[in-house]
C-alpha cells in the first residue's frame, strides 16, 4: 500500500526556481511524488508575492522527470517584474 504523511505547524517550502512558501499543514504520499497544502499558502514566487487557498506539488510524468506546482482556491499574485 501507499503510506501517507502529515506535517503541521509553521512549515516553509523552498523550491527552485525561487519559491519560498509557508503553510500550516502538508499532506503527502510516501510512494509517489505528491505533496499538498490543503489550507492557505503564502510566500515568494519567481514573479512576485503569491497567496492561495491550496497548493499541490506532483510529478508531471510517469517517468518522474518533471514536476508541477499547482495553486488553487483564490490565487493572488502581486507581480514584481525584474528590471
Amino acid at each position: 500500500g501507499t503510506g501517507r504523511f502529515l506535517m503541521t505547524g509553521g512549515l516553509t517550502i523552498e523550491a527552485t526556481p525561487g519559491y519560498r512558501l509557508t503553510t500550516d499543514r502538508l499532506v503527502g504520499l510516501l510512494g509517489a511524488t505528491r505533496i499538498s497544502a490543503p489550507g492557505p499558502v503564502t510566500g515568494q514566487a519567481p514573479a512576485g508575492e503569491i497567496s492561495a487557498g491550496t497548493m499541490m506539488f506532483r510529478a508531471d510524468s510517469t517517468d518522474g522527470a518533471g514536476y508541477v506546482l499547482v495553486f488553487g482556491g483564490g490565487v493572488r499574485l502581486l507581480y514584481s517584474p525584474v528590471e
Side-chain angles (χ1 to χ4, degrees):
T2 302
R4 296 178 183 262
F5 69 87
L6 169 65
M7 299 170 67
T8 59
L11 304 166
T12 300
I13 304 128
E14 292 189 29
T16 57
Y19 288 95
R20 182 176 171 85
L21 307 166
T22 59
T23 190
D24 286 330
R25 183 179 172 146
L26 289 174
V27 179
L29 299 177
L30 296 173
T33 303
R34 183 179 212 110
I35 300 169
S36 63
V41 177
T42 60
Q44 289 295 124
E49 292 180 37
I50 193 165
S51 61
T54 63
M55 180 202 72
M56 182 176 38
F57 176 81
R58 63 176 172 79
D60 187 31
S61 61
T62 55
D63 64 6
Y67 300 93
V68 175
L69 186 56
V70 180
F71 295 96
V75 180
R76 181 171 183 251
L77 175 66
L78 181 58
Y79 181 63
S80 301
V82 177
E83 296 184 27

